[in-house]
Each structure stands twice: as C-alpha cells, then as structure tokens.
C-alpha cells in the first residue's frame, strides 16, 4: 500500500491493516505512536517450518531466513511484553 492511500484511509476514519515484518511494524509505530501492533506466532517453530515448506512458495534459503527472523521476533516480543507488564506494575 502506498503511504498516500494509507493516510487518506486514516483521514477518512478507516482502520488500516498492514501485513508486514517486524522492522516495518516498528517503523510504523515510530511514525504513528497510536498504531496497534498485533504479532502472530505459530504454536511451535517446527510447525512454522512445516507450514512454510507446505506452501511451496519460498526457496529453502528464504525459509531459513524466515525461521531466523521468526525466532528473533519471538525473542523481541517476549522482551516487549515483559517491559509492558513491568511498566503496568509500577502504575
């Protein structure tokens, strides 16, 4: 989606859903602090690998990159959730 289209939708009071990787989501959050980020993760890393292989749309090197990214993402989400929980406890 183009930025202009997204901006127009938001100006019209519409919600916009973006399916993007973590780095893109963090950039969106930086530019739009009110953005709500929802991260989805598979039940297990093995299940993620099975799903990616079953799709048959990515080469093996791409699957390995996605697996690494997913592992990193889950680690980051754990940190973010922990930080959020900690800050709520202080209030």
């Amino acid at each position: 989606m183009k930025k202009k289209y997204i901006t127009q939708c938001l100006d019209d009071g519409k919600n916009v859903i973006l399916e993007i990787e973590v780095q893109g989501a963090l950039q969106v959050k930086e530019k739009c602090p009110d953005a709500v980020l929802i991260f989805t993760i598979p039940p297990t890393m093995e299940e993620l690998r099975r799903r990616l292989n079953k799709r048959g749309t990515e080469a093996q090197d791409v699957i390995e990159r996605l697996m690494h990214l997913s592992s990193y993402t889950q680690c980051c989400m754990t940190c973010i959730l922990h930080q959020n929980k900690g800050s709520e406890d202080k209030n």
Side-chain angles (χ1 to χ4, degrees):
M1 279 186 210
K2 295 196 178 217
K3 183 178 178 181
K4 183 178 179 180
Y5 175 75
I6 294 170
T7 303
Q8 183 61 50
C9 288
L10 294 172
D11 288 345
D12 292 344
K14 297 177 183 175
N15 293 320
V16 178
I17 298 174
L18 304 172
E19 186 177 339
I20 54 179
E21 292 185 359
V22 175
Q23 292 86 357
L26 294 176
Q27 289 175 1
V28 168
K29 187 68 170 177
E30 190 174 292
K31 294 181 188 296
C32 302
D34 292 338
V36 175
L37 305 181
I38 300 172
F39 292 88
T40 59
I41 57 173
T44 65
M45 293 300 286
E46 294 80 20
E47 177 63 14
L48 174 60
R49 183 179 298 279
R50 186 191 71 73
R51 292 176 185 180
L52 290 171
N53 283 316
K54 185 178 177 184
R55 280 196 322 206
T57 56
E58 287 84 17
Q60 195 59 41
D61 63 321
V62 174
I63 290 175
E64 291 306 318
R65 183 181 68 81
L66 292 171
M67 293 296 297
H68 177 74
L69 180 61
S70 178
S71 177
Y72 172 76
T73 301
Q74 289 183 28
C75 177
C76 288
M77 287 306 300
T78 300
C79 292
I80 291 169
L81 291 173
H82 176 71
Q83 288 174 347
N84 286 343
K85 181 169 176 35
S87 63
E88 289 173 6
D89 290 343
K90 293 178 183 176
N91 291 330

